[in-house]
Amino acid sequence: MKKMKLSMTVQIMIGMAGGLVLGICLGDKVKDMKLIGDIFLRLIQMSVVVMIMGAVTESVANLDPKELGRFGVKMLFWFLLTTVLAAAAGAALGQFFMPGKGLFLPVSDQIVQTSDKGLYNIILDFLPSNIVQSMANSNMIQVIIFSVLFGASLGSCRVKKGSSQLMGVIKEFNEVILGIVHKVMNLAPLGIGALLAYTAGTTGIKVIMPLIKFLLIFGCGSLLYLGVMIAFVSFYCKTNPLNVGRKLCNMTIVAFTTTSSAVTLPTKMEDSEKKLGVSKKVSGIVNPLGMTLNSNGLSMFLALACITVSQIYGIPLPMPQLVHVIVLSTLACLGTVAVPGGGLVALATVVPALGLPLESIAFLSSIDWFSGMFRTILNVDIDALVAMMIAKDEKELDYGILNGNQ
C-alpha cells in the first residue's frame, strides 16, 4: 500500500495547530520551546541576503533587450508602478484598520530605529556606498538595488558576447542556495509550531484575534485593489470592466485554489490570449516575466504585515519608516523565488531589514496558506491586466476576442 505524503503546507498547518494547542493548554511550561523556533528563524535568515541577491541578479540579467523590443520599458514601468501601489495600499490598510491593535507583546529582538531624516537622506540611504557592508548589515534595499544594476550590466555583456560564463556560475550558485532553503524549510512545521506554542503559552488565546483581523483586512483589501485595477485597465483599453472581470474568473479560481503563480501560469497565458485578446507575442513575454518580477499580492501582504507587527509590539513607524516599508516591500518582490513557504522567506527578508522582531514571523506564518490565496490572485490577475495595457499600446490587442462572449 502506497504511503500518503503530506504536502509542506499541510505539515505547517499541523505544526501550527499543535503549537497553539500546546501553548494554550500548558501555558508557561512551553516557554523553552522558543529556542527551537529561534534556531529555525536563524537558519532561514542566514541565506536570505545571498538568495535574494542571486535571484534578482539572474532575473534582471536574463532580460534580453532585443527580445523585449519596444514594450520592454513599458512592461517594467507597469510592473514597478502596480507593485508600489499595492505596497502603499497594504500600508494604508494597516494604518487605517490597525489589525495589530489590542494585542501588545514585549520586544525581545532588535527594535526599529525611528528616524527624523529628511527626504534627501532617506533617498540617499537607498543607495549602497559599500555593498559588502550592506550585505553584512542585511540592508535589503541597498542589496537589491546593487543586484538590479549588476544584473543589468551582466545582461548587457551577455547580449554583446552572445554568452556569459558568469551567468552559468550565478545560476548554479542560486540552485545551491535554493537547495539550502529547501532543506531548512523542512524544519518549518517544527519551528513554527515551537514559536506559536511559546507565543500562545505566554499570551493566551487572545493571540488569535489579530490574525483573524489581519486575514479579513488583507482579503477585502486584495479584492478591492483588484476591482480598482480592473476598472482602470478597462478605461485604459476602452472596454467593459464587467466583461474583463468575467474573463479573469477562470485564472482567479485556479490561483485561489492552488496558491501557486507557477501552476496558474499556463491558464493565465491561455486566457490572456483566448479571452482577453492579448497576442501571443505580448503574452509570451509579459506573463512569464510577471510571475517573477510582478508580485502585487506579496507586496501588499508584506507592507500590511510590517504595519501589523509594529502595532502588536508597540513600535511606532513614523513617515520615514513607512517609506522604507513601501520601498522594501516593493523591492523584495523582485526575483521572487519559488520555494515552499515563500511568504515566510519574504517575511524573513523584510522583517529584520526594518528592525522588527524576528519572532513576529511566527504569527503570520500560521495564516500563510490562507493569505497565500489572496496573494496569488493579485500576483496572477495583475500580470494579465498589465499584458492587456501593453498589448493595447503595441496594437496587439484583439478587441474582437476581448469584447466577445467567450
Side-chain angles (χ1 to χ4, degrees):
M1 183 176 178
K2 189 177 180 180
K3 292 182 179 179
M4 183 177 67
K5 186 178 180 180
L6 298 177
S7 68
M8 179 56 64
T9 298
V10 174
Q11 292 180 48
I12 290 175
M13 293 180 70
I14 292 173
M16 170 205 70
L20 285 173
V21 171
L22 275 177
I24 293 171
C25 294
L26 301 180
D28 285 343
K29 295 179 180 178
V30 298
K31 63 181 181 180
D32 291 336
M33 291 184 67
K34 185 173 182 292
L35 175 62
I36 300 174
D38 286 343
I39 290 173
F40 167 67
L41 291 178
R42 286 288 184 93
L43 289 173
I44 289 183
Q45 197 180 11
M46 72 177 181
S47 301
V48 162
V49 173
V50 289
M51 180 188 69
I52 294 297
M53 193 172 189
V56 172
T57 298
E58 182 181 352
S59 296
V60 175
N62 276 325
L63 298 178
D64 190 336
K66 292 182 179 179
E67 182 184 20
L68 291 176
R70 294 183 304 171
F71 56 80
V73 174
K74 295 179 183 178
M75 178 185 67
L76 296 177
F77 167 78
W78 284 117
F79 283 174
L80 181 61
L81 179 62
T82 56
T83 307
V84 169
L85 290 176
L93 288 169
Q95 291 288 86
F96 185 78
F97 291 104
M98 303 186 73
K101 188 177 180 180
L103 174 65
F104 177 76
L105 296 178
V107 178
S108 59
D109 282 331
Q110 55 189 335
I111 303 176
V112 169
Q113 299 296 320
T114 58
S115 173
D116 295 323
K117 293 179 179 179
L119 183 60
Y120 175 87
N121 287 321
I122 291 174
I123 295 174
L124 196 61
D125 284 346
F126 289 160
L127 304 174
S129 59
N130 183 330
I131 188 57
V132 176
Q133 184 179 15
S134 300
M135 294 175 67
N137 294 335
S138 295
N139 190 323
M140 294 308 303
I141 292 179
Q142 295 181 358
V143 168
I144 291 172
I145 287 178
F146 174 84
S147 302
V148 170
L149 295 174
F150 185 81
S153 180
L154 178 59
S156 297
C157 291
R158 178 179 59 82
V159 171
K160 288 180 181 178
K161 295 181 179 181
S163 63
S164 171
Q165 292 182 344
L166 184 57
M167 276 289 293
V169 172
I170 291 176
K171 184 175 181 179
E172 188 171 351
F173 174 81
N174 289 342
E175 290 175 358
V176 172
I177 296 298
L178 198 57
I180 294 175
V181 175
H182 274 280
K183 288 179 172 61
V184 172
M185 285 304 299
N186 288 329
L187 302 174
L190 180 61
I192 292 171
L195 286 169
L196 285 177
Y198 165 79
T199 304
T202 53
T203 62
I205 194 70
K206 62 182 180 179
V207 72
I208 296 177
M209 292 310 298
L211 298 178
I212 297 175
K213 191 175 180 182
F214 174 91
L215 195 59
L216 288 173
I217 292 171
F218 180 57
C220 293
S222 298
L223 296 178
L224 177 62
Y225 180 81
L226 178 59
V228 170
M229 286 301 301
I230 289 174
F232 172 77
V233 173
S234 299
F235 174 78
Y236 190 88
C237 295
K238 296 180 174 59
T239 189
N240 186 342
L242 295 178
N243 188 44
V244 173
R246 179 178 63 84
K247 295 192 172 191
L248 287 173
C249 281
N250 189 39
M251 69 178 79
T252 300
I253 293 172
V254 175
F256 185 80
T257 53
T258 64
T259 69
S260 172
S261 298
V263 172
T264 313
L265 180 60
T267 302
K268 178 176 64 174
M269 293 185 68
E270 182 179 2
D271 287 357
S272 291
E273 297 163 16
K274 296 184 178 180
K275 294 184 178 181
L276 297 174
V278 178
S279 69
K280 288 186 177 182
K281 173 187 174 183
V282 174
S283 175
I285 296 176
V286 175
N287 281 318
L289 286 178
M291 185 180 67
T292 302
L293 299 174
N294 190 42
S295 300
N296 285 211
L298 180 59
S299 178
M300 179 184 288
F301 169 78
L302 291 174
L304 179 58
C306 291
I307 302 296
T308 302
V309 167
S310 71
Q311 293 165 357
I312 289 175
Y313 286 90
I315 301 173
L317 289 179
M319 185 54 66
Q321 285 297 131
L322 289 177
V323 172
H324 276 83
V325 167
I326 294 171
V327 172
L328 191 55
S329 297
T330 300
L331 295 179
C333 296
L334 291 174
T336 306
V337 288
V339 297
L344 298 182
V345 177
L347 281 172
T349 302
V350 176
V351 166
L354 291 167
L356 296 171
L358 269 176
E359 62 214 40
S360 61
I361 297 173
F363 291 111
L364 299 168
S365 67
S366 63
I367 55 170
D368 184 67
W369 185 74
F370 298 101
S371 60
M373 294 176 172
F374 297 104
R375 289 201 305 266
T376 311
I377 288 176
L378 286 190
N379 291 346
V380 168
D381 287 10
I382 302 301
D383 289 348
L385 293 174
V386 168
M388 280 183 61
M389 290 190 289
I390 293 179
K392 187 260 183 185
D393 289 342
E394 296 296 315
K395 295 180 173 55
E396 296 278 349
L397 187 63
D398 190 328
Y399 279 92
I401 295 176
L402 175 60
N403 295 325
N405 295 322
Q406 187 174 355

PDB file of all heavy atoms in Angstrom, residues 53-54 56-58 60-61 131 143-157 166-167 170:
ATOM      1  N   MET A  53      19.913  38.315  -3.509  1.00  0.00           N
ATOM      2  CA  MET A  53      20.913  38.939  -4.389  1.00  0.00           C
ATOM      3  C   MET A  53      21.088  38.113  -5.671  1.00  0.00           C
ATOM      4  O   MET A  53      21.088  38.650  -6.783  1.00  0.00           O
ATOM      5  CB  MET A  53      22.243  39.057  -3.650  1.00  0.00           C
ATOM      6  CG  MET A  53      23.257  39.948  -4.329  1.00  0.00           C
ATOM      7  SD  MET A  53      24.706  40.195  -3.265  1.00  0.00           S
ATOM      8  CE  MET A  53      25.567  41.457  -4.191  1.00  0.00           C
ATOM      9  N   GLY A  54      21.222  36.800  -5.518  1.00  0.00           N
ATOM     10  CA  GLY A  54      21.398  35.943  -6.679  1.00  0.00           C
ATOM     11  C   GLY A  54      20.166  35.876  -7.558  1.00  0.00           C
ATOM     12  O   GLY A  54      20.265  35.923  -8.794  1.00  0.00           O
ATOM     13  N   VAL A  56      17.652  38.100  -7.897  1.00  0.00           N
ATOM     14  CA  VAL A  56      17.415  39.359  -8.603  1.00  0.00           C
ATOM     15  C   VAL A  56      18.421  39.529  -9.740  1.00  0.00           C
ATOM     16  O   VAL A  56      18.061  39.915 -10.856  1.00  0.00           O
ATOM     17  CB  VAL A  56      17.492  40.559  -7.629  1.00  0.00           C
ATOM     18  CG1 VAL A  56      17.434  41.877  -8.392  1.00  0.00           C
ATOM     19  CG2 VAL A  56      16.359  40.493  -6.616  1.00  0.00           C
ATOM     20  N   THR A  57      19.690  39.228  -9.458  1.00  0.00           N
ATOM     21  CA  THR A  57      20.727  39.354 -10.487  1.00  0.00           C
ATOM     22  C   THR A  57      20.401  38.476 -11.691  1.00  0.00           C
ATOM     23  O   THR A  57      20.460  38.921 -12.849  1.00  0.00           O
ATOM     24  CB  THR A  57      22.102  38.959  -9.918  1.00  0.00           C
ATOM     25  OG1 THR A  57      22.452  39.853  -8.852  1.00  0.00           O
ATOM     26  CG2 THR A  57      23.175  39.021 -10.997  1.00  0.00           C
ATOM     27  N   GLU A  58      20.047  37.224 -11.446  1.00  0.00           N
ATOM     28  CA  GLU A  58      19.749  36.305 -12.543  1.00  0.00           C
ATOM     29  C   GLU A  58      18.514  36.747 -13.326  1.00  0.00           C
ATOM     30  O   GLU A  58      18.495  36.713 -14.564  1.00  0.00           O
ATOM     31  CB  GLU A  58      19.534  34.886 -12.005  1.00  0.00           C
ATOM     32  CG  GLU A  58      19.272  33.866 -13.098  1.00  0.00           C
ATOM     33  CD  GLU A  58      19.033  32.465 -12.558  1.00  0.00           C
ATOM     34  OE1 GLU A  58      19.213  32.250 -11.337  1.00  0.00           O
ATOM     35  OE2 GLU A  58      18.647  31.589 -13.357  1.00  0.00           O
ATOM     36  N   VAL A  60      17.155  39.805 -13.685  1.00  0.00           N
ATOM     37  CA  VAL A  60      17.400  41.016 -14.483  1.00  0.00           C
ATOM     38  C   VAL A  60      18.347  40.716 -15.631  1.00  0.00           C
ATOM     39  O   VAL A  60      18.158  41.196 -16.758  1.00  0.00           O
ATOM     40  CB  VAL A  60      17.955  42.141 -13.585  1.00  0.00           C
ATOM     41  CG1 VAL A  60      18.318  43.365 -14.425  1.00  0.00           C
ATOM     42  CG2 VAL A  60      16.942  42.522 -12.512  1.00  0.00           C
ATOM     43  N   ALA A  61      19.382  39.900 -15.383  1.00  0.00           N
ATOM     44  CA  ALA A  61      20.365  39.581 -16.429  1.00  0.00           C
ATOM     45  C   ALA A  61      19.738  38.788 -17.576  1.00  0.00           C
ATOM     46  O   ALA A  61      20.223  38.837 -18.712  1.00  0.00           O
ATOM     47  CB  ALA A  61      21.532  38.802 -15.834  1.00  0.00           C
ATOM     48  N   ILE A 131      28.897  47.642  -0.821  1.00  0.00           N
ATOM     49  CA  ILE A 131      27.933  46.545  -0.921  1.00  0.00           C
ATOM     50  C   ILE A 131      28.216  45.437   0.083  1.00  0.00           C
ATOM     51  O   ILE A 131      27.302  44.786   0.593  1.00  0.00           O
ATOM     52  CB  ILE A 131      27.890  45.976  -2.367  1.00  0.00           C
ATOM     53  CG1 ILE A 131      26.744  44.965  -2.502  1.00  0.00           C
ATOM     54  CG2 ILE A 131      29.216  45.370  -2.752  1.00  0.00           C
ATOM     55  CD1 ILE A 131      25.390  45.499  -2.164  1.00  0.00           C
ATOM     56  N   VAL A 143      21.050  46.135  -1.086  1.00  0.00           N
ATOM     57  CA  VAL A 143      21.452  44.889  -1.741  1.00  0.00           C
ATOM     58  C   VAL A 143      20.675  44.678  -3.031  1.00  0.00           C
ATOM     59  O   VAL A 143      21.245  44.304  -4.073  1.00  0.00           O
ATOM     60  CB  VAL A 143      21.245  43.690  -0.788  1.00  0.00           C
ATOM     61  CG1 VAL A 143      21.377  42.369  -1.548  1.00  0.00           C
ATOM     62  CG2 VAL A 143      22.261  43.729   0.349  1.00  0.00           C
ATOM     63  N   ILE A 144      19.357  44.920  -3.005  1.00  0.00           N
ATOM     64  CA  ILE A 144      18.525  44.699  -4.185  1.00  0.00           C
ATOM     65  C   ILE A 144      18.858  45.697  -5.285  1.00  0.00           C
ATOM     66  O   ILE A 144      18.934  45.343  -6.469  1.00  0.00           O
ATOM     67  CB  ILE A 144      17.032  44.768  -3.809  1.00  0.00           C
ATOM     68  CG1 ILE A 144      16.659  43.556  -2.938  1.00  0.00           C
ATOM     69  CG2 ILE A 144      16.151  44.791  -5.054  1.00  0.00           C
ATOM     70  CD1 ILE A 144      15.263  43.620  -2.357  1.00  0.00           C
ATOM     71  N   ILE A 145      19.083  46.965  -4.912  1.00  0.00           N
ATOM     72  CA  ILE A 145      19.434  47.969  -5.918  1.00  0.00           C
ATOM     73  C   ILE A 145      20.769  47.616  -6.585  1.00  0.00           C
ATOM     74  O   ILE A 145      20.911  47.700  -7.812  1.00  0.00           O
ATOM     75  CB  ILE A 145      19.488  49.372  -5.283  1.00  0.00           C
ATOM     76  CG1 ILE A 145      18.057  49.838  -4.977  1.00  0.00           C
ATOM     77  CG2 ILE A 145      20.191  50.367  -6.200  1.00  0.00           C
ATOM     78  CD1 ILE A 145      17.975  51.175  -4.298  1.00  0.00           C
ATOM     79  N   PHE A 146      21.755  47.193  -5.793  1.00  0.00           N
ATOM     80  CA  PHE A 146      23.027  46.757  -6.377  1.00  0.00           C
ATOM     81  C   PHE A 146      22.815  45.566  -7.304  1.00  0.00           C
ATOM     82  O   PHE A 146      23.399  45.495  -8.399  1.00  0.00           O
ATOM     83  CB  PHE A 146      24.013  46.384  -5.267  1.00  0.00           C
ATOM     84  CG  PHE A 146      25.298  45.790  -5.780  1.00  0.00           C
ATOM     85  CD1 PHE A 146      26.343  46.607  -6.190  1.00  0.00           C
ATOM     86  CD2 PHE A 146      25.460  44.409  -5.861  1.00  0.00           C
ATOM     87  CE1 PHE A 146      27.529  46.055  -6.678  1.00  0.00           C
ATOM     88  CE2 PHE A 146      26.633  43.857  -6.349  1.00  0.00           C
ATOM     89  CZ  PHE A 146      27.676  44.676  -6.755  1.00  0.00           C
ATOM     90  N   SER A 147      21.967  44.611  -6.893  1.00  0.00           N
ATOM     91  CA  SER A 147      21.720  43.407  -7.689  1.00  0.00           C
ATOM     92  C   SER A 147      21.054  43.747  -9.014  1.00  0.00           C
ATOM     93  O   SER A 147      21.360  43.135 -10.050  1.00  0.00           O
ATOM     94  CB  SER A 147      20.847  42.426  -6.897  1.00  0.00           C
ATOM     95  OG  SER A 147      21.466  42.072  -5.677  1.00  0.00           O
ATOM     96  N   VAL A 148      20.129  44.716  -8.994  1.00  0.00           N
ATOM     97  CA  VAL A 148      19.474  45.142 -10.229  1.00  0.00           C
ATOM     98  C   VAL A 148      20.500  45.730 -11.196  1.00  0.00           C
ATOM     99  O   VAL A 148      20.531  45.404 -12.392  1.00  0.00           O
ATOM    100  CB  VAL A 148      18.367  46.172  -9.934  1.00  0.00           C
ATOM    101  CG1 VAL A 148      17.862  46.807 -11.230  1.00  0.00           C
ATOM    102  CG2 VAL A 148      17.206  45.513  -9.204  1.00  0.00           C
ATOM    103  N   LEU A 149      21.364  46.607 -10.685  1.00  0.00           N
ATOM    104  CA  LEU A 149      22.392  47.224 -11.531  1.00  0.00           C
ATOM    105  C   LEU A 149      23.396  46.188 -12.035  1.00  0.00           C
ATOM    106  O   LEU A 149      23.805  46.206 -13.202  1.00  0.00           O
ATOM    107  CB  LEU A 149      23.114  48.329 -10.754  1.00  0.00           C
ATOM    108  CG  LEU A 149      22.251  49.532 -10.351  1.00  0.00           C
ATOM    109  CD1 LEU A 149      23.048  50.480  -9.465  1.00  0.00           C
ATOM    110  CD2 LEU A 149      21.741  50.260 -11.588  1.00  0.00           C
ATOM    111  N   PHE A 150      23.793  45.274 -11.151  1.00  0.00           N
ATOM    112  CA  PHE A 150      24.731  44.223 -11.528  1.00  0.00           C
ATOM    113  C   PHE A 150      24.116  43.316 -12.589  1.00  0.00           C
ATOM    114  O   PHE A 150      24.766  42.950 -13.584  1.00  0.00           O
ATOM    115  CB  PHE A 150      25.117  43.415 -10.289  1.00  0.00           C
ATOM    116  CG  PHE A 150      26.178  42.385 -10.526  1.00  0.00           C
ATOM    117  CD1 PHE A 150      27.519  42.728 -10.561  1.00  0.00           C
ATOM    118  CD2 PHE A 150      25.838  41.048 -10.730  1.00  0.00           C
ATOM    119  CE1 PHE A 150      28.500  41.775 -10.789  1.00  0.00           C
ATOM    120  CE2 PHE A 150      26.801  40.083 -10.959  1.00  0.00           C
ATOM    121  CZ  PHE A 150      28.142  40.445 -10.984  1.00  0.00           C
ATOM    122  N   GLY A 151      22.850  42.951 -12.384  1.00  0.00           N
ATOM    123  CA  GLY A 151      22.163  42.097 -13.345  1.00  0.00           C
ATOM    124  C   GLY A 151      21.998  42.766 -14.693  1.00  0.00           C
ATOM    125  O   GLY A 151      22.161  42.130 -15.740  1.00  0.00           O
ATOM    126  N   ALA A 152      21.663  44.064 -14.691  1.00  0.00           N
ATOM    127  CA  ALA A 152      21.503  44.791 -15.951  1.00  0.00           C
ATOM    128  C   ALA A 152      22.827  44.851 -16.712  1.00  0.00           C
ATOM    129  O   ALA A 152      22.872  44.666 -17.936  1.00  0.00           O
ATOM    130  CB  ALA A 152      20.989  46.204 -15.670  1.00  0.00           C
ATOM    131  N   SER A 153      23.923  45.102 -15.998  1.00  0.00           N
ATOM    132  CA  SER A 153      25.245  45.148 -16.632  1.00  0.00           C
ATOM    133  C   SER A 153      25.643  43.776 -17.155  1.00  0.00           C
ATOM    134  O   SER A 153      26.174  43.645 -18.267  1.00  0.00           O
ATOM    135  CB  SER A 153      26.278  45.649 -15.619  1.00  0.00           C
ATOM    136  OG  SER A 153      27.567  45.697 -16.188  1.00  0.00           O
ATOM    137  N   LEU A 154      25.370  42.749 -16.373  1.00  0.00           N
ATOM    138  CA  LEU A 154      25.690  41.390 -16.804  1.00  0.00           C
ATOM    139  C   LEU A 154      24.869  41.000 -18.030  1.00  0.00           C
ATOM    140  O   LEU A 154      25.381  40.356 -18.958  1.00  0.00           O
ATOM    141  CB  LEU A 154      25.419  40.407 -15.662  1.00  0.00           C
ATOM    142  CG  LEU A 154      25.644  38.924 -15.941  1.00  0.00           C
ATOM    143  CD1 LEU A 154      27.090  38.665 -16.356  1.00  0.00           C
ATOM    144  CD2 LEU A 154      25.296  38.085 -14.703  1.00  0.00           C
ATOM    145  N   GLY A 155      23.597  41.409 -18.047  1.00  0.00           N
ATOM    146  CA  GLY A 155      22.747  41.121 -19.199  1.00  0.00           C
ATOM    147  C   GLY A 155      23.266  41.787 -20.463  1.00  0.00           C
ATOM    148  O   GLY A 155      23.243  41.184 -21.545  1.00  0.00           O
ATOM    149  N   SER A 156      23.745  43.019 -20.342  1.00  0.00           N
ATOM    150  CA  SER A 156      24.300  43.731 -21.497  1.00  0.00           C
ATOM    151  C   SER A 156      25.547  43.014 -22.028  1.00  0.00           C
ATOM    152  O   SER A 156      25.728  42.862 -23.243  1.00  0.00           O
ATOM    153  CB  SER A 156      24.653  45.171 -21.114  1.00  0.00           C
ATOM    154  OG  SER A 156      23.500  45.891 -20.735  1.00  0.00           O
ATOM    155  N   CYS A 157      26.402  42.567 -21.121  1.00  0.00           N
ATOM    156  CA  CYS A 157      27.616  41.834 -21.528  1.00  0.00           C
ATOM    157  C   CYS A 157      27.246  40.523 -22.211  1.00  0.00           C
ATOM    158  O   CYS A 157      27.873  40.133 -23.208  1.00  0.00           O
ATOM    159  CB  CYS A 157      28.494  41.570 -20.310  1.00  0.00           C
ATOM    160  SG  CYS A 157      29.265  43.037 -19.602  1.00  0.00           S
ATOM    161  N   LEU A 166      29.791  33.736 -16.421  1.00  0.00           N
ATOM    162  CA  LEU A 166      29.360  34.205 -15.107  1.00  0.00           C
ATOM    163  C   LEU A 166      27.880  33.929 -14.883  1.00  0.00           C
ATOM    164  O   LEU A 166      27.464  33.620 -13.763  1.00  0.00           O
ATOM    165  CB  LEU A 166      29.649  35.704 -14.955  1.00  0.00           C
ATOM    166  CG  LEU A 166      29.329  36.326 -13.589  1.00  0.00           C
ATOM    167  CD1 LEU A 166      30.070  35.611 -12.472  1.00  0.00           C
ATOM    168  CD2 LEU A 166      29.690  37.823 -13.600  1.00  0.00           C
ATOM    169  N   MET A 167      27.081  34.011 -15.956  1.00  0.00           N
ATOM    170  CA  MET A 167      25.654  33.703 -15.847  1.00  0.00           C
ATOM    171  C   MET A 167      25.453  32.265 -15.390  1.00  0.00           C
ATOM    172  O   MET A 167      24.602  31.977 -14.545  1.00  0.00           O
ATOM    173  CB  MET A 167      24.954  33.922 -17.184  1.00  0.00           C
ATOM    174  CG  MET A 167      24.526  35.351 -17.441  1.00  0.00           C
ATOM    175  SD  MET A 167      23.145  35.866 -16.384  1.00  0.00           S
ATOM    176  CE  MET A 167      21.835  34.816 -17.011  1.00  0.00           C
ATOM    177  N   ILE A 170      26.333  32.034 -11.680  1.00  0.00           N
ATOM    178  CA  ILE A 170      25.281  32.614 -10.828  1.00  0.00           C
ATOM    179  C   ILE A 170      24.066  31.697 -10.776  1.00  0.00           C
ATOM    180  O   ILE A 170      23.465  31.491  -9.713  1.00  0.00           O
ATOM    181  CB  ILE A 170      24.897  34.014 -11.345  1.00  0.00           C
ATOM    182  CG1 ILE A 170      26.044  34.996 -11.108  1.00  0.00           C
ATOM    183  CG2 ILE A 170      23.626  34.516 -10.661  1.00  0.00           C
ATOM    184  CD1 ILE A 170      25.807  36.373 -11.669  1.00  0.00           C
TER     185      ILE A 170
END
